[in-house]
Amino acid sequence: MPVYVHLSNLLIRKDAIEKKYKGGIPQFRLDCELDTGRFHFQEDAMLFCLVTMNYDQHDYDNLTANGLH
């Protein structure tokens, strides 16, 4: 299944989250509130796609603090 392009997309490989993100995919889902439906997001078998209106609205500080660079 494809992910669709929006104004600002942050694509993150799931294998990178499994290897580097503190707590892996379950914690990533909680931290990014993916399961609450609060933010529009997409995923397929290999990628997470976090969507915002502008690139500077992504929570880069949280992502890097938890192991992604």
Side-chain angles (χ1 to χ4, degrees):
M1 184 163 119
V3 293
Y4 297 96
V5 177
H6 297 277
L7 290 178
S8 179
N9 300 280
L10 180 59
L11 297 170
I12 306 172
R13 291 174 35 177
K14 285 185 173 181
D15 63 342
I17 294 170
E18 288 174 347
K19 292 176 188 174
K20 299 185 180 233
Y21 196 87
K22 293 177 188 171
I25 289 177
Q27 188 62 46
F28 178 79
R29 286 181 181 280
L30 290 173
D31 291 348
C32 295
E33 301 181 30
L34 300 184
D35 293 329
T36 65
R38 181 173 172 211
F39 297 107
H40 184 73
F41 83 99
Q42 300 173 73
E43 70 179 289
D44 65 9
M46 299 175 64
L47 298 170
F48 282 109
C49 179
L50 304 178
V51 177
T52 61
M53 289 295 288
N54 300 299
Y55 75 93
D56 59 349
Q57 293 176 310
H58 292 291
D59 192 1
Y60 299 111
D61 292 336
N62 178 54
L63 295 174
T64 56
N66 284 295
L68 296 178
H69 299 281

